[in-house]
Amino acid sequence: MKALLITEAGKSHIAEVPEPSAPGAGEVQLRVERVVYCGSDLSTYRGLNPLVSYPRIPGHEVCGTIAAVGKGVPAEWAEGLQVLALPYTSCGKCAACRAGRPNACQHNQTLGVQRDGAMTERINLPYEKLLTSPKLNAAEMALVEPLTVGFHAVDRGAVTADDTVAVYGCGAIGL
C-alpha cells in the first residue's frame, strides 16, 4: 500500500509500506479518505519537531471509512461507517490523566508524530478514538481536529462577546 513517508528532514516520497494486519481486539481498520496536512506535519518535514523520529508517516487530521472491525468493537462501529479519528493517546494513569486532562497525557503518542500517521491508504485505530456525524462530509470531518484546537484555545482564554481579540495566523486553526 502507498504512504507519504518522511525519511529525514527535508526528504519525503510516496513509499510502498506493508498493509496493516487485521484489526486487533477493540480496533477498526480505516480506509483513509481525507487527511489534512497541517503545520505540525510541515514541522516534521522541515525537521523542526523534536518529538518526531524518522522515518515517519505524517497525518493526524483524518477521516475514513471503517473497512474491517476487530473483536469486541461495539456494533455501532460497523463496516462502511464514515468516521474521524482523535489522534492522541492517553494512559489514564499519569498526573494529567488523573486530573481529567488526557489531552496533556505524559505518555501521549500522537498520530504522525510519535507513531505513524494516516497519510496512507489504511490504518488501524482503537474504536474509542473515533467519532462520526451524519451531518459532515469527509472533508469537513478531517477538519474537526483543528477546529477543536481553536475552540479549546478560546475556551481556555475565557473569551466572551465583550472581548476584543486578534488572531495571528492564516492556517486552519487561526481561521
Side-chain angles (χ1 to χ4, degrees), residues 143 156 165:
L143 289 170
R156 284 194 68 190
V165 177

Side-chain angles (χ1 to χ4, degrees), residues 25-28 73 85-86 89 115 124-130:
E27 291 183 330
V28 302
V73 174
L86 303 174
T89 62
R115 60 188 173 130
N124 290 352
L125 296 168
Y127 80 88
E128 297 97 343
K129 295 296 181 176
L130 304 178

Side-chain angles (χ1 to χ4, degrees), residues 30 62-64 66 77 81-86 126-134 136 141 144-145 148:
L30 293 187
V62 58
C63 172
I66 296 176
W77 303 105
L81 182 66
Q82 191 173 61
V83 299
L84 67 96
L86 303 174
Y127 80 88
E128 297 97 343
K129 295 296 181 176
L130 304 178
L131 299 171
T132 190
S133 171
L136 300 177
M141 289 178 102
V144 166
E145 194 272 346
T148 62

Side-chain angles (χ1 to χ4, degrees), residues 50-91:
L51 301 175
V52 172
S53 60
Y54 299 98
R56 180 65 62 218
I57 298 170
H60 61 271
E61 299 165 351
V62 58
C63 172
T65 299
I66 296 176
V69 177
K71 291 183 181 181
V73 174
E76 65 259 26
W77 303 105
E79 289 182 30
L81 182 66
Q82 191 173 61
V83 299
L84 67 96
L86 303 174
Y88 314 104
T89 62
S90 54
C91 70

